[in-house]
Amino acid sequence: MMPSARFPVSVTLLRRLAYASIIANVGIVVTGGAVRLTASGLGCPTWPRCTDGSYTTTPEMGVHGMIEFGNRLLTFAVGIIALAVLLGILTHRVRPRGVLSLAVAVFLGIPAQAVIGGITVLTHLNPWVVGLHFLASMVVIAAAYALWRRIAEPDGPAVPTVPAPLRALALFTTLVSAAVLVVGTWVTGSGPHAGDQGAARNGLDPEAISQVHADGVFLLIGLSVALVFAFRAVGATRAARAAVVLVAVELSQGLIGFVQYFTHLPAVLVAAHMLGSCLVLLATLAVLWSTRERRPADPAVGAVAAGQRVTVAA
């Protein structure tokens, strides 16, 4: 069976659904931030119910209950999109390796996120658990991105598009990006936006841990700029473009971070910074993905498949 038969015409729909899954998972990170920034983290004071006697919010709980319960409802919307992607993939008897595993990981990651969210409530917004909740979202977003990219790829071997040292540098940059995200949760856990007035903080010195975070950001930007010049030097145009986008996203995120720090963390900038964290992750993964490509195992089959895709598009 030719590779094009793996995903017939509906490959376009599957990619759109996978893309929607990325957007939905980023969106729930931002709405989750809104819960914390409006001090609605304990708007529903228990889990899995909203109150001891109700799964839904009650009028007595006011706006905070509505905000927290609304965010819980969004989890179902994100899960429905992930389920649609998974079911779409299952309809195809033959599919690229790894696609089904990624779809299952994204789908199962959402209820896992809900459980971690429930633990944050049951531990009265313990800052370390809240940080884990955010980082788990980053893992699901990364899996959703990999799924989106993998769906349309041929099933041949992955071939590097840049020399091995530059691929290693891109991988190291990805690890530094992940470390910056982790330290960012420590900064958040030491700051004023706890999600509830009575929630504890992690006890770290806000200024000291913010400096550590800033140092990591400087390292990340430096590595990303180095990737731009290195990719251009070896003629890797696609990788260089991805690195330029990464630098632009990092500079924007860094600007938001500095402004929010010196303006005493206004809620709107903190929310923008959370969105920026997701965009930095996605831009970093785009750079890593650009350092390799998959080619059809049989070039002649690949040419036929490409011609069929053009015919379908027409």
Side-chain angles (χ1 to χ4, degrees), residues 3-314:
S4 61
R6 301 173 191 270
F7 289 106
V9 180
S10 60
V11 65
T12 301
L13 176 60
L14 280 172
R15 280 210 93 204
R16 288 175 178 172
L17 286 172
Y19 191 69
S21 182
I22 298 174
I23 295 174
N25 278 285
V26 170
I28 203 165
V29 169
V30 176
T31 59
V35 171
R36 179 168 56 83
L37 294 169
T38 57
S40 302
L42 295 177
C44 288
T46 189
W47 188 88
R49 299 187 180 191
C50 194
T51 68
D52 289 335
S54 174
Y55 281 97
T56 64
T57 184
T58 62
E60 294 77 18
M61 300 171 69
V63 66
H64 294 306
M66 293 177 61
I67 293 173
E68 165 64 6
F69 181 68
N71 189 64
R72 293 187 183 188
L73 286 180
L74 286 176
T75 301
F76 290 98
V78 178
I80 288 171
I81 295 173
L83 178 60
V85 177
L86 178 58
L87 292 177
I89 290 172
L90 287 172
T91 61
H92 298 272
R93 291 175 296 176
V94 184
R95 45 193 166 265
R97 286 170 295 178
V99 166
L100 181 58
S101 297
L102 286 169
V104 171
V106 173
F107 177 67
L108 294 182
I110 293 166
Q113 270 292 78
V115 171
I116 298 174
I119 294 173
T120 66
V121 173
L122 297 176
T123 58
H124 303 287
L125 306 182
N126 179 289
W128 300 106
V129 182
V130 172
L132 177 62
H133 191 44
F134 173 80
L135 293 175
S137 290
M138 297 298 103
V139 173
V140 175
I141 290 172
Y145 178 84
L147 175 61
W148 174 67
R149 294 297 299 259
R150 189 71 183 93
I151 282 176
E153 286 185 328
D155 206 18
V159 179
T161 58
V162 300
L166 295 189
R167 183 158 170 77
L169 180 59
L171 179 58
F172 180 65
T173 302
T174 303
L175 295 176
V176 172
S177 180
V180 168
L181 288 175
V182 172
V183 177
T185 66
W186 301 349
V187 175
T188 299
S190 69
H193 297 293
D196 186 80
Q197 293 181 353
R201 300 285 73 204
N202 60 22
L204 299 176
D205 179 70
E207 290 190 11
I209 196 62
S210 293
Q211 184 60 58
V212 173
H213 183 58
D215 292 342
V217 170
F218 288 136
L219 174 60
L220 178 59
I221 293 175
L223 290 169
S224 302
V225 171
L227 283 174
V228 172
F229 288 102
F231 288 153
R232 286 180 174 177
V234 299
T237 305
R238 183 169 67 98
R241 283 198 301 265
V244 168
V245 172
L246 174 59
V247 171
V249 173
E250 289 168 348
L251 290 175
S252 300
Q253 175 74 336
L255 177 61
I256 294 172
F258 275 109
V259 172
Q260 72 168 5
Y261 179 80
F262 290 109
T263 55
H264 306 292
L265 303 174
V268 64
L269 289 183
V270 175
H273 200 57
M274 293 185 69
L275 173 61
S277 296
C278 299
L279 298 181
V280 169
L281 172 64
L282 292 170
T284 304
L285 293 175
V287 170
L288 187 62
W289 216 271
S290 71
T291 62
R292 37 70 85 205
E293 65 180 9
R294 289 188 181 272
R295 298 169 184 171
D298 184 345
V301 171
V304 172
Q308 288 188 348
R309 285 195 293 270
V310 170
T311 301
V312 170

